[in-house]
Amino acid sequence: ALWRDASVWLGLSLDESERAGYPPATVQTLNELITHDALAHLQAERWMVDVFGLAIDQAKREHTRHERSNVYPSILRAPVLQQAVQSATAQADRQARNLRKAVRACLEILTTKRDAPTLADALEAEGPFWTEAGHHFDLWLDELARLSDDYSFPENPGQACDDDAQRAVDLHLAHWTKQLHKMAIGAYGTATEAFTQSARELQAVATGRDALRPAAKYAHLLNPTNHD
């Protein structure tokens, strides 16, 4: 899905060593226009872009794909927000891996370590997780872009923002981390819902669930004594 590569096409200010790829020319051109205020008169909060993909094999078209996504000028202007996008997509990858490990931990009790990976593939726990995460990411990204309405973010890479602005970004990312963990728990429950026939199966499910860690620590950021 396109959103999983959002840090590539929104990470224009990130160092090349921090990116998974190079932003497409369309986004680079748009960023240059935004940087020089050439589009300021349009006062757009976001731009909708159509992205097309084509897979070929021996000069024959095998598959085509079309997705529509949003490009936010406020994110393109702010390296701090671009870093948050990068962290969000990296956390989603990490949470998916943790979900797979949890399913395997459950299956290793019910079968063997050798057979657990194949059975984990059959349960397809990660599919529903990725689908739900994609739906929530669009909303999360929109809310991240709107932080620029309340806070000032520097446009120069390497320049730190003030404490309140950084705290707002960290809190927004922490909510995403928590949401990812919740979605992974739901996907795990769906994948293992048939394992209720014996005490051994119930114990295996509980073991896997206990092993399902969040992608990062977030509780200290969501503590009501700080912000909620």
Side-chain angles (χ1 to χ4, degrees):
L2 183 62
W3 74 268
R4 294 171 63 179
D5 293 319
S7 63
V8 176
W9 50 273
L10 289 178
L12 294 171
S13 298
L14 299 178
D15 186 85
E16 289 188 17
S17 62
E18 298 177 327
R19 291 197 302 253
Y22 203 73
T26 301
V27 179
Q28 294 180 57
T29 301
L30 179 60
N31 181 60
E32 292 175 1
L33 293 172
I34 291 171
T35 301
H36 294 89
D37 291 328
L39 304 177
H41 62 288
L42 298 178
Q43 298 180 341
E45 294 183 354
R46 63 182 179 179
W47 298 90
M48 298 189 71
V49 295
D50 289 289
V51 181
F52 298 87
L54 173 65
I56 60 175
D57 182 24
Q58 297 181 353
K60 295 181 180 180
R61 185 178 65 181
E62 293 289 327
H63 179 69
T64 58
R65 185 180 179 91
H66 166 246
E67 287 191 44
R68 176 167 290 177
S69 190
N70 297 316
V71 174
Y72 296 88
S74 60
I75 294 179
L76 294 180
R77 292 191 188 101
V80 172
L81 299 184
Q82 294 174 32
Q83 290 169 354
V85 174
Q86 183 185 49
S87 296
T89 54
Q91 284 189 6
D93 287 335
R94 195 176 306 123
Q95 189 64 79
R97 291 195 299 270
N98 290 351
L99 171 59
R100 181 172 179 79
K101 290 178 182 177
V103 173
R104 288 181 60 174
C106 170
L107 294 174
E108 285 175 1
I109 295 176
L110 299 177
T111 58
T112 65
K113 288 187 176 182
R114 180 179 179 179
D115 294 333
T118 301
L119 293 174
D121 289 339
L123 289 178
E124 298 182 336
E126 295 156 272
F129 166 79
W130 281 122
T131 299
E132 187 176 5
H135 293 323
H136 286 283
F137 181 80
D138 290 339
L139 177 60
W140 181 88
L141 189 66
D142 186 76
E143 293 173 346
L144 177 71
R146 292 178 186 277
L147 289 180
S148 61
D149 295 339
D150 300 316
Y151 301 95
S152 177
F153 297 101
E155 298 185 11
N156 296 323
Q159 183 179 352
C161 57
D162 62 60
D163 291 343
D164 288 341
Q166 186 62 60
R167 189 178 299 112
V169 174
D170 292 343
L171 182 62
H172 191 58
L173 184 59
H175 280 292
W176 170 249
T177 312
K178 180 180 180 179
Q179 197 167 38
L180 284 173
H181 192 213
K182 182 178 180 181
M183 289 184 283
I185 292 174
Y188 176 83
T190 300
T192 60
E193 63 184 358
F195 302 145
T196 60
Q197 304 302 312
S198 67
R200 182 166 173 260
E201 289 185 351
L202 293 173
Q203 180 60 46
V205 171
T207 299
R209 187 169 55 243
D210 290 343
L212 183 49
R213 304 298 185 209
K217 295 181 179 179
Y218 61 83
H220 64 292
L221 293 170
L222 301 181
N223 191 308
T225 59
N226 296 326
H227 287 278
D228 197 353

